Amino acid sequence: MPRLIAKGGTRLELDHYLEALVRKPGALPGAAALDQGRSAGRFTPVHDAWWEAAVKTQGERDGTRTLIEVLLLGRHSPHEHLVNGLAAALKTGALTADAVALEARKAAGADAIPVEAPEPATVSRTSIAPLAAAVRARLPPDKRPLPSVAHYDQLLRLRRDRHTP
């Protein structure tokens, strides 16, 4: 964190106020910590765009509270991953903290493992994208037994035998 130059200057860290803002989300738009976060580059235009969309769909209070939940994710995710998660969630219209967390984890995984990009024709918005070959290669073999309904069949036989005279 850079040092303050001005005598008597103050620096407010938005993260320090998030617990209070969850209880009072209406205080966020006028918060000095938010202004300082914007000027420091920690609250980006992507944050503002996502917040605006969340307020449109969820209402002022709930949309702001959801944004605060997203900001709390920054305690566990690097800033760049969180911004990438916000951008991806905004692009798909997923305006929940869970969606942003998932997209941030995807961004973190993309940094950690080189993943092949799926061909555009194979991925649609309604289908689930398959795991990339690099990810599948690192998975341990599945040693679980195949599913069986033998126990259910046994229960049905017992029930049938009990009810036949």
Side-chain angles (χ1 to χ4, degrees):
M1 186 165 294
R3 196 171 163 178
L4 285 174
I5 307 280
K7 184 176 181 178
T10 59
R11 178 180 301 120
L12 301 175
E13 193 67 36
L14 182 59
D15 185 67
H16 297 170
Y17 298 92
L18 294 177
E19 284 84 6
L21 289 169
V22 166
R23 291 189 306 274
K24 302 260 187 192
L28 180 62
L34 177 62
D35 293 337
Q36 288 187 13
R38 280 189 177 116
S39 63
R42 300 291 296 166
F43 197 90
T44 65
V46 175
H47 285 83
D48 276 319
W50 192 91
W51 186 13
E52 182 181 327
V55 166
K56 275 185 188 174
T57 59
Q58 300 172 22
E60 186 75 32
R61 190 177 120 246
D62 291 336
T64 301
R65 185 169 282 139
T66 304
L67 172 72
I68 295 166
E69 291 173 12
V70 168
L71 294 173
L72 284 166
L73 294 172
R75 294 180 177 176
H76 307 287
S77 296
H79 180 70
E80 308 81 44
H81 296 161
L82 189 61
V83 173
N84 289 338
L86 279 165
L90 180 62
K91 189 175 184 181
T92 61
L95 302 172
T96 65
D98 291 339
V100 174
L102 177 66
E103 294 297 336
R105 283 193 297 270
K106 284 182 186 178
D111 284 352
I113 301 172
V115 179
E116 306 170 354
E119 295 181 21
T122 62
V123 177
S124 71
R125 288 193 183 272
T126 58
S127 69
I128 298 173
L131 287 176
V135 175
R136 282 195 312 266
R138 291 183 172 202
L139 292 175
D142 189 3
K143 296 180 181 178
R144 296 177 293 178
L146 291 174
S148 170
V149 292
H151 293 298
Y152 184 69
D153 290 341
Q154 182 182 7
L155 287 172
L156 289 177
R157 275 193 300 270
L158 288 173
R159 183 175 181 198
R160 186 178 53 229
D161 292 344
R162 195 173 0 150
H163 292 291
T164 53

